[in-house]
Amino acid sequence: MAQDRITEAWKSWKNSQIKFDYYVLGIAAALLAYLSSNLKTEPEALYQTWFEVTAASFVLTALICGFFRLLDDLSLQSINFQKLVKSDDINKCKEKLKEPLEPNSRQKIEEFIEDTYEDIAAATKELEKRGKRFEWLFEIRNYSILIAFSIIVFSKLYAAINQTWNFCQ
């Protein structure tokens, strides 16, 4: 009963995380489309163009990191699933060892359990390595979008101040 609640909570959390990732990628794609549609290459808008190109590069970085993050998420889930299957195999083998067996069969089962523990340890190390990359991509993606939005706001403020300044002269 408690295991079912834990599983349902994990499914809900995972579903929310995936929806958030797609939402952020959608925002980044929309922002990139906005920047590319409003890009001006006129000499008087040179600074604003530079700001927008810089912001677009940060958005593009966020998009790339977001896609790699989604791919890594699939890999992490696959590795975690393999660990769970191997743990289940170990439990089945331990139950089998409780029964009377021939010495040769018992030895094979014990070797299988030992090999499976090694596989689980290797999968755990792989999860840790990929998990760090997963978090790293998460931070890069989020900071890139934050920097891009800040640059766009600064660009618009700069353009407004520049127009006001030119208007007053």
Side-chain angles (χ1 to χ4, degrees):
M1 187 70 150
Q3 187 65 31
D4 291 339
R5 285 186 283 158
I6 291 170
T7 303
E8 287 302 317
W10 184 83
K11 285 180 184 178
S12 176
W13 176 83
K14 194 66 183 164
N15 191 21
S16 298
Q17 178 197 6
I18 290 170
K19 285 181 182 178
F20 177 74
D21 283 343
Y22 282 119
Y23 173 75
V24 170
L25 283 176
I27 286 175
L31 187 58
L32 191 60
Y34 168 77
L35 287 172
S36 63
S37 69
N38 288 342
L39 199 61
K40 300 174 188 172
T41 56
E42 301 165 7
E44 63 269 1
L46 183 62
Y47 289 115
Q48 189 172 2
T49 301
W50 183 85
F51 287 135
E52 289 176 358
V53 167
T54 304
S57 67
F58 278 104
V59 171
L60 189 60
T61 301
L63 278 172
I64 292 169
C65 288
F67 284 121
F68 279 120
R69 189 176 180 323
L70 289 173
L71 290 174
D72 278 357
D73 185 46
L74 294 174
S75 297
L76 289 171
Q77 288 184 46
S78 175
I79 292 169
N80 200 30
F81 178 73
Q82 290 170 1
K83 274 182 60 178
L84 292 173
V85 168
K86 289 183 184 288
S87 294
D88 192 44
D89 290 345
I90 287 174
N91 291 336
K92 288 177 185 175
C93 288
K94 284 182 177 179
E95 288 296 319
K96 190 106 172 157
L97 285 175
K98 292 179 183 177
E99 301 171 3
L101 297 168
E102 295 179 19
N104 190 24
S105 296
R106 181 173 293 281
Q107 183 182 1
K108 285 183 179 179
I109 291 174
E110 288 172 348
E111 287 174 2
F112 175 78
I113 289 173
E114 189 176 314
D115 291 343
T116 306
Y117 274 129
E118 290 173 7
D119 292 344
I120 289 174
T124 301
K125 286 182 182 177
E126 184 67 21
L127 275 174
E128 289 173 3
K129 184 178 92 172
R130 290 187 185 223
K132 288 178 184 175
R133 175 186 154 131
F134 189 72
E135 291 173 6
W136 182 70
L137 289 170
F138 179 77
E139 289 180 13
I140 290 174
R141 181 199 67 188
N142 290 347
Y143 285 126
S144 293
I145 289 176
L146 181 66
I147 291 169
F149 273 123
S150 300
I151 290 172
I152 291 169
V153 167
F154 183 77
S155 167
K156 298 303 177 187
L157 287 173
Y158 179 81
I161 291 170
N162 196 21
Q163 280 183 336
T164 305
W165 182 260
N166 290 339
F167 180 74
C168 292
Q169 289 181 349

